Amino acid sequence: MLLNVFKNTVLLFVLVMISCGNVTKSKSENLSLLDKESPKQIETEKNITVGANQTALYLPILKGKRVGIVANQTSVIFKGETNTHLVDSLLALNVDIKTVFAPEHGFRGTADAGEVIKDGVDIKTNLPIVSLYGKNKKPSVEQLKNLDLVVFDIQDVGARFYTYISSLHYVMEACAEQNITVLILDRPNPNGHYFDGPVLETAHKSFVGMHPIPTVHGMTIGEYAKMINGEKWLNQGITCDLQVIPVENYNHNLEYSLPIKPSPNLPNDKSINLYPSLCFFEGTNVSAGRGTETQFQIFGSPFLNKTQFPFQFTPQPNHGAKHPKYENKLCYGENLTEAENLNTLNLNWLIKAYNNTGNKTEFFNSFFTKLAGTKKLQQQIESGLSANQIKATWKTGLDAFAKTRSKYLMYE
């Protein structure tokens, strides 16, 4: 028994020491990141410490608690050149983890977008895994009955239709109803340097857009959770007992390169930066590159004018896209892998594709309105408005959101 106490004490000391140091991998070890970094960016990232690494702040909160964890492959404690999964680390520290909750793409982050995630057991830890994607998006009373606290540690990318913030909403709501604390281990938002887009109209609320916010919200998960509470967006205006472990040395203007890809079809910095703009193609007959190795960095379809769109690609089944749009069909489009990084939503690619497609009546599908959060965007494109004209109609909503957002910001 004394030996176990000694081993656990040593492990805790190591984790606490790690939390004071560099928490990002070197760029050479990142997952196929195409963008070259500047010396300034390297120095910036060395100083950022994610919430999960700050074990000294949250281990006392977990002590003696029956804990559930919402986690995926990004839920790690960085250790210099390596990292350990949060679940593995906390189990080694005798934290009483009862259940792991898995969002879209699953606990290990390998499932396709939209693929049904099933409940199961984690092979490594033997912990029960409860899916929060599919029919069971909100933890049930039964799934929460043995818990005192739920930890939420997921890397987000700052887009309204990226479903991790929808899972956050349902976790907070379920925990609020059962008087269970939610502890968020915050992480930087790689698209946290701007907010833009049409504000969602509540009539078009769905799992890919639950709140009246623009397409790009410019907030971390911790900030966003505070806004959910503060704006009374949970069922019947209830609020969740919320605690946030903030990111150290972070502000919204810092570039942050993700050491682990947040989902199978966002493989690198460029895809993450372009994702909010190119995801609109998911609601059209144009491919956003699923089934290639440059997902959300290219777009195209068999119906685009090959004179206007000379770039060609053929989607094939791959990791993250078992049956991609236009599988084995030649597509004409554009390659954006060398495009400049965006600080605003780009509508020009979407408008250009619409104007040059073979049959405009078949360009949009019903999913587009869910992604846009409004019917107006499709109507504006169909009526021939330019990107600048469309964006001018967003100003009132964005100005109102800016005031709301400012109340919940934790970082400059």
Side-chain angles (χ1 to χ4, degrees), residues 113-130:
E115 182 177 347
V116 174
I117 306 298
K118 297 180 180 179
D119 294 348
V121 175
D122 182 46
I123 297 175
K124 183 173 183 179
T125 62
N126 289 320
L127 287 170
I129 298 177
V130 174

Side-chain angles (χ1 to χ4, degrees), residues 101-102 119 130-140 143 170:
F101 296 95
D119 294 348
V130 174
S131 171
L132 296 182
Y133 191 73
K135 293 182 179 180
N136 183 54
K137 293 182 173 66
K138 178 178 175 178
S140 67
Q143 291 162 350
Y170 281 127

Side-chain angles (χ1 to χ4, degrees), residues 5-174:
V5 171
F6 174 75
K7 290 167 64 179
N8 289 334
T9 302
V10 170
L11 183 55
L12 174 59
F13 174 76
V14 171
L15 287 173
V16 171
M17 290 299 291
I18 289 168
S19 72
C20 297
N22 177 19
V23 300
T24 56
K25 289 184 179 182
S26 65
K27 272 301 199 304
S28 62
E29 293 183 308
N30 283 357
L31 294 173
S32 304
L33 295 180
L34 299 180
D35 296 337
K36 294 181 180 180
E37 60 184 339
S38 66
K40 181 179 180 181
Q41 184 179 341
I42 296 175
E43 185 62 33
T44 296
E45 292 193 357
K46 283 183 178 180
N47 294 327
I48 290 177
T49 305
V50 300
N53 267 67
Q54 299 177 63
T55 52
L57 296 182
Y58 63 87
L59 284 177
I61 301 172
L62 303 182
K63 184 177 181 180
K65 300 290 197 308
R66 298 169 298 174
V67 176
I69 296 185
V70 185
N72 65 4
Q73 77 286 351
T74 67
S75 311
V76 299
I77 294 177
F78 297 106
K79 295 184 175 183
E81 300 300 312
T82 61
N83 57 63
T84 61
H85 198 281
L86 178 69
V87 170
D88 299 330
S89 297
L90 295 185
L91 284 175
L93 290 166
N94 289 330
V95 172
D96 187 13
I97 301 175
K98 298 293 187 184
T99 306
V100 174
F101 296 95
E104 184 177 7
H105 305 296
F107 178 47
R108 299 299 179 185
T110 57
D112 287 5
E115 182 177 347
V116 174
I117 306 298
K118 297 180 180 179
D119 294 348
V121 175
D122 182 46
I123 297 175
K124 183 173 183 179
T125 62
N126 289 320
L127 287 170
I129 298 177
V130 174
S131 171
L132 296 182
Y133 191 73
K135 293 182 179 180
N136 183 54
K137 293 182 173 66
K138 178 178 175 178
S140 67
V141 174
E142 180 69 18
Q143 291 162 350
L144 293 173
K145 70 177 182 180
N146 294 321
L147 301 181
D148 303 307
L149 182 146
V150 172
V151 175
F152 193 102
D153 182 26
I154 299 284
Q155 177 64 62
D156 188 46
V157 300
R160 185 182 62 220
F161 32 60
Y162 204 58
T163 62
Y164 297 151
I165 57 174
S166 298
S167 294
L168 172 67
H169 172 106
Y170 281 127
V171 168
M172 289 177 62
E173 187 171 271

Side-chain angles (χ1 to χ4, degrees), residues 11 40 44 72 95 105 137 142 185 187 200 214 256 261 280 321 333 339 357 359 377 398 405:
L11 183 55
K40 181 179 180 181
T44 296
N72 65 4
V95 172
H105 305 296
K137 293 182 173 66
E142 180 69 18
L185 307 182
R187 293 179 182 270
L200 178 137
Y256 183 72
K261 61 183 179 182
F280 286 123
T357 193
N359 185 346
L377 181 56
L398 289 173
R405 175 179 176 268

